Amino acid sequence: MTPIRVLDPKIQNKIAAGEVVERPSSVVKELIENSLDANADEIEVFIEESGMKLIRIIDNGDGIHQTDAPLLFQRHATSKINDDYDLFQIRSLGFRGEALASIGAVAKVKVETKHLEGEPVTIQFEGGSLKEQAPGKERQGTDISISELFYNTPARLKYVRSMRTESGKIIDIIQRMALAYPKVGFKLILDHNEKISTKGNGNLKEVISDIYGLNIARHAVKIDAADADFKITGYAIRPEVNRSNRNYINLSVNQRHIRNFKLSQSIINAYHTLLAKDKYPIVIIDIEMDPKIVDVNVHPSKIEVRFSKERELNALLENAVRETLQDEMLIPDVSKVSKEPKPKVEQSSIDFTGPAMRREHPGRQPEYVEERPVSRRQTDVYETEKRESYKPVRKDTESQEKQEARHREPVTLAEETAVEKRVKEKLPYLEIVGQLHGTYIILQNDSGMYMMDQHAAQERIKYEFYYDHINVDADDGIPLLIPYTFEFPLDDIITIDEKLKQLQELGFEIEKTGIKQYSVTRHPSWIDEKNPEADIEQLIHFVAEKDHFSVNEYREEMSIMMSCKQSIKANHYLDKKHMEALLGELGKCHSPYTCPHGRPVIIHMTTYEIERMFNRIMK
């Protein structure tokens, strides 16, 4: 056997580079983190050929003192921690002292830097060796260039993906950094074309506009919550603007971009039925906490973290997002949603997968009752946040020229941000006009026309009723003088036997009376009175089909199934009394904007859009 020996530092650095420098975007991330740790508030990134030819990052930070220059490319040389105690309270983005050593081992590096109290210096490093150190230019900050990445590691070079993919990864990193640091101005020049530019004025909503576009920024709702350990700030984008993947969930802890499945799932749970299946939200969240309760030293990439109070943080985050959305009137504007532009660059994939958790909803009895017509409510009982998408058209004596000028006047992000009014009622004042094809109820108010899907509306009403009642502790239920007897295939018997306890927790008295027979002598009061036997049988079939049955999962799926089955169908004509009753019950719902499947219940078309379609207002 070959004797044990310490590896040459060049080999050590190449091994470390395999973890730290995975691809060009990894280099960009590490160097930008160094700039941020150096207190830079302006960072320019120049990329050529997706970073394989050149990565150049210029900042106006503190710079590096000339006496520290020889240590730049030594492994585990860092100014950010001094002893093991510092590992328990890491406040900087970098701390391992591996990045520059790893980059220098697999690329050609040139550093020009000047410290606040030192002389300018230039360093050239190549393939793990210092080539030159000389006086530099009189410019505050650091200018670092990485060229010919992986030139001496052909195996790594071989597995670099397409240029387009690598460029997308770099754009993704800088977007997330810009969202985490709104007080820093970022600029990305990709193959001599400017791709990203943020102002660095501290306005996160403007950064969202720079990254995702003005229309998405207009749908941003501010989040602000805190407890004894955590402070959560940021924005959630209204659910009518969504994406088909989880990659737009932007999370940072103490302004460090992170990847955490449970936190991402908490955000998805908060949106719950506001989004359709396979649709995901856009959110930008920063979580401030004491560094002692988060461990960032989990992986060399420093993206994965561990929390000592993870359960409390998940609950706070979910409640913060949910309560923020609850305060919003989430009726989508048809013109705004239909014209939503696709982003120029899709954010790269981050693996946030897993089952969605459920949450309770306050229920209401879904029945039609004689009540004061909804259309008689006064308009002053609700307030809406000032938005272009939901701006009412006043019926006054303004001339048409003034109305046109008012509609053409742009609404700035600063004006929108300044208004912090909250909605007092879930739905605005609405007058019923009539019904379309026995399916859609036409409504109106001063801001325009609304269309309500009657089936989706009653689905929401009944869903919240069933979910609320199924979610309570088992009641006394309804005893049966003559038990219902059910017979199931032998394949299902084992599963049903294992789940009898959960069925009993839901309020069923059920026991096995034969090899394949079960008898039910009591069922909960929420079972459909018209056909209880069919509902009970369907419930037991549901249990039998699930490998891992959970009460929460059952409550959710059963509520959706029962609400859909018992709701008004399309092509069913209603009189005005029933339409008013339906609208009244919907207004009492916890979340009246979507059905349990995430489809919209009500959509809105502004008076301005209608008038423009008829050329009453010229574009």
Side-chain angles (χ1 to χ4, degrees):
M1 179 182 290
T2 305
I4 297 173
R5 63 181 180 275
V6 177
L7 291 175
D8 184 272
K10 291 184 179 180
I11 299 177
Q12 293 180 25
N13 289 337
K14 283 189 177 182
I15 293 172
E19 294 180 326
V20 179
V21 188
E22 181 183 3
R23 60 196 327 146
S25 59
S26 305
V27 176
V28 173
K29 172 183 174 294
E30 295 291 343
L31 296 181
I32 290 179
E33 287 182 349
N34 285 344
S35 296
L36 293 169
D37 284 339
N39 302 311
D41 58 16
E42 292 182 6
I43 300 175
E44 294 180 286
V45 182
F46 298 85
I47 304 294
E48 293 183 17
E49 295 183 10
S50 302
M52 300 307 299
K53 180 179 180 181
L54 176 68
I55 298 173
R56 184 184 181 191
I57 297 180
I58 305 173
D59 68 51
N60 64 345
D62 298 340
I64 302 165
H65 200 280
Q66 71 269 22
T67 57
D68 293 332
L71 300 174
L72 273 180
F73 296 94
Q74 287 192 24
R75 196 174 179 208
H76 301 308
T78 181
S79 62
K80 298 163 188 177
I81 60 173
N82 296 312
D83 52 41
D84 56 352
Y85 179 74
D86 290 340
L87 288 173
F88 296 98
Q89 49 179 359
I90 295 172
R91 300 182 184 275
S92 58
L93 296 176
F95 58 89
R96 300 170 65 98
E98 290 184 315
L100 282 178
S102 299
I103 294 168
V106 293
K108 298 176 181 179
V109 185
K110 180 182 179 181
V111 181
E112 295 183 359
T113 184
K114 181 183 182 302
H115 191 265
L116 290 166
E117 300 175 353
E119 299 296 327
V121 62
T122 299
I123 301 171
Q124 292 191 8
F125 203 83
E126 181 179 327
S129 301
L130 179 64
K131 296 298 182 183
E132 182 183 355
Q133 179 173 338
K137 297 177 182 178
E138 284 286 349
R139 179 195 167 279
Q140 178 60 44
T142 301
D143 179 348
I144 182 168
S145 299
I146 313 296
S147 59
E148 299 185 47
L149 186 62
F150 303 134
Y151 79 100
N152 59 352
T153 52
R156 176 61 56 88
L157 188 63
K158 179 180 178 181
Y159 286 97
V160 171
R161 296 186 182 179
S162 69
M163 295 294 102
R164 183 177 180 180
T165 299
E166 298 304 331
S167 295
K169 297 284 185 182
I170 292 171
I171 292 172
D172 174 50
I173 288 292
I174 298 176
Q175 285 180 341
R176 295 183 190 274
M177 290 285 193
L179 291 168
Y181 283 85
K183 292 184 179 181
V184 178
F186 287 87
K187 183 175 288 186
L188 170 63
I189 310 298
L190 184 63
D191 292 327
H192 309 290
N193 296 313
E194 184 178 290
K195 295 295 184 180
I196 297 174
S197 180
T198 65
K199 301 175 183 66
N201 60 6
N203 189 328
L204 178 56
K205 202 167 185 181
E206 286 195 21
V207 179
I208 295 171
S209 177
D210 292 334
I211 299 297
Y212 293 131
L214 183 60
N215 285 334
I216 290 181
R218 282 184 174 138
H219 287 88
V221 183
K222 191 172 184 179
I223 296 174
D224 197 346
D227 64 8
D229 298 301
F230 309 104
K231 181 179 180 182
I232 296 173
T233 56
Y235 285 92
I237 307 302
R238 295 160 63 90
E240 61 259 38
V241 181
N242 52 67
R243 292 292 180 262
S244 58
N245 57 60
R246 297 173 172 85
N247 303 335
Y248 291 80
I249 298 176
N250 297 275
L251 291 171
S252 59
V253 171
N254 296 334
Q255 295 187 287
R256 177 193 301 276
H257 163 60
I258 66 161
R259 176 174 55 207
N260 185 282
F261 163 72
K262 291 185 178 179
L263 290 180
S264 299
Q265 195 60 52
S266 295
I267 293 171
I268 294 171
N269 297 342
Y271 277 78
H272 194 46
T273 56
L274 294 174
L275 290 174
K277 184 179 179 182
D278 297 327
K279 294 295 182 182
Y280 301 95
I282 304 172
V283 294
I284 300 92
I285 298 289
D286 182 60
I287 307 167
E288 293 182 27
M289 66 182 71
D290 190 323
K292 293 185 179 69
I293 61 176
V294 57
D295 182 8
V296 299
N297 190 24
V298 176
H299 188 274
S301 68
K302 298 168 292 187
I303 292 179
E304 299 178 13
V305 298
R306 299 289 183 270
F307 303 102
S308 62
K309 294 187 176 181
E310 188 172 52
R311 182 178 298 177
E312 292 84 350
L313 176 56
N314 287 331
L316 177 65
L317 179 58
E318 183 173 340
N319 290 333
V321 177
R322 180 188 303 138
E323 290 172 6
T324 298
L325 294 173
Q326 286 174 2
D327 289 338
E328 291 293 308
M329 188 172 289
L330 302 177
I331 301 174
D333 190 315
V334 176
S335 60
K336 298 299 178 186
V337 175
S338 62
K339 295 180 181 179
E340 189 67 53
K342 293 184 179 180
K344 293 181 180 179
V345 181
E346 288 289 324
Q347 290 192 201
S348 58
S349 176
I350 294 179
D351 185 18
F352 293 141
T353 56
M357 301 294 289
R358 314 298 180 191
R359 66 179 179 87
E360 299 181 14
H361 298 273
R364 277 93 183 176
Q365 179 66 34
E367 60 183 25
Y368 298 124
V369 295
E370 280 287 347
E371 61 176 23
R372 186 180 178 186
V374 179
S375 61
R376 295 292 183 264
R377 291 186 297 170
Q378 297 298 314
T379 58
D380 59 357
V381 298
Y382 73 95
E383 295 177 45
T384 56
E385 186 175 346
K386 183 180 179 184
R387 296 178 182 277
E388 183 183 39
S389 301
Y390 301 91
K391 187 190 296 181
V393 177
R394 298 190 301 273
K395 294 181 179 179
D396 53 25
T397 58
E398 286 182 332
S399 65
Q400 184 162 331
E401 290 80 4
K402 289 184 178 180
Q403 288 189 22
E404 292 175 18
R406 173 163 52 84
H407 285 299
R408 289 195 300 268
E409 182 178 340
V411 178
T412 65
L413 289 174
E415 289 173 338
E416 293 181 17
T417 306
V419 180
E420 295 296 337
K421 293 180 181 179
R422 293 297 183 187
V423 179
K424 292 183 178 179
E425 288 195 359
K426 295 296 184 181
L427 294 177
Y429 159 75
L430 295 168
E431 296 177 358
I432 294 174
V433 177
Q435 195 178 22
L436 177 66
H437 297 318
T439 302
Y440 304 102
I441 298 174
I442 310 299
L443 310 113
Q444 69 174 5
N445 64 13
D446 284 351
S447 70
M449 181 183 72
Y450 295 76
M451 292 182 66
M452 180 173 74
D453 184 329
Q454 63 190 31
H455 175 74
Q458 197 171 55
E459 266 193 306
R460 166 54 66 176
I461 296 166
K462 289 182 175 292
Y463 165 77
E464 292 196 5
F465 169 76
Y466 285 125
Y467 194 91
D468 181 61
H469 285 71
I470 294 174
N471 204 32
V472 299
D473 295 333
D475 53 22
D476 293 336
I478 299 176
L480 301 172
L481 294 176
I482 301 176
Y484 294 128
T485 300
F486 303 96
E487 183 172 322
F488 296 95
L490 287 173
D491 293 345
D492 296 336
I493 297 303
I494 295 176
T495 304
I496 296 173
D497 288 345
E498 291 175 349
K499 306 303 179 184
L500 283 179
K501 184 178 179 180
Q502 283 94 331
L503 290 170
Q504 291 164 359
E505 289 176 358
L506 290 171
F508 291 90
E509 286 188 6
I510 180 172
E511 59 181 11
K512 194 171 184 178
T513 55
I515 296 176
K516 298 188 293 181
Q517 287 82 31
Y518 295 85
S519 291
V520 176
T521 56
R522 184 184 297 270
H523 64 73
S525 57
W526 47 262
I527 289 291
D528 184 14
E529 296 179 0
K530 296 179 182 178
N531 194 3
E533 188 172 2
D535 276 357
I536 295 170
E537 184 175 15
Q538 192 169 19
L539 184 155
I540 298 175
H541 274 296
F542 172 83
V543 171
E545 292 171 359
K546 297 290 182 180
D547 294 332
H548 303 286
F549 171 75
S550 70
V551 175
N552 281 336
E553 185 181 5
Y554 161 75
R555 288 167 177 159
E556 172 76 5
E557 295 197 21
M558 200 67 178
S559 298
I560 292 175
M561 179 193 70
M562 293 173 69
S563 65
C564 184
K565 182 176 66 175
Q566 297 181 25
S567 294
I568 307 169
K569 305 302 180 186
N571 301 313
H572 183 89
Y573 288 87
L574 303 175
D575 58 29
K576 189 171 183 180
K577 176 183 174 182
H578 282 150
M579 287 189 278
E580 289 174 344
L582 181 65
L583 181 60
E585 289 295 328
L586 182 66
K588 298 174 186 177
C589 284
H590 181 76
S591 179
Y593 310 111
T594 60
C595 76
H597 309 286
R599 293 191 299 107
V601 171
I602 298 182
I603 59 174
H604 177 218
M605 179 175 288
T606 65
T607 302
Y608 171 68
E609 289 293 333
I610 295 172
E611 291 179 342
R612 195 172 67 173
M613 289 169 62
F614 286 97
N615 291 333
R616 295 177 65 87
I617 294 177
M618 302 304 293
K619 295 182 181 180

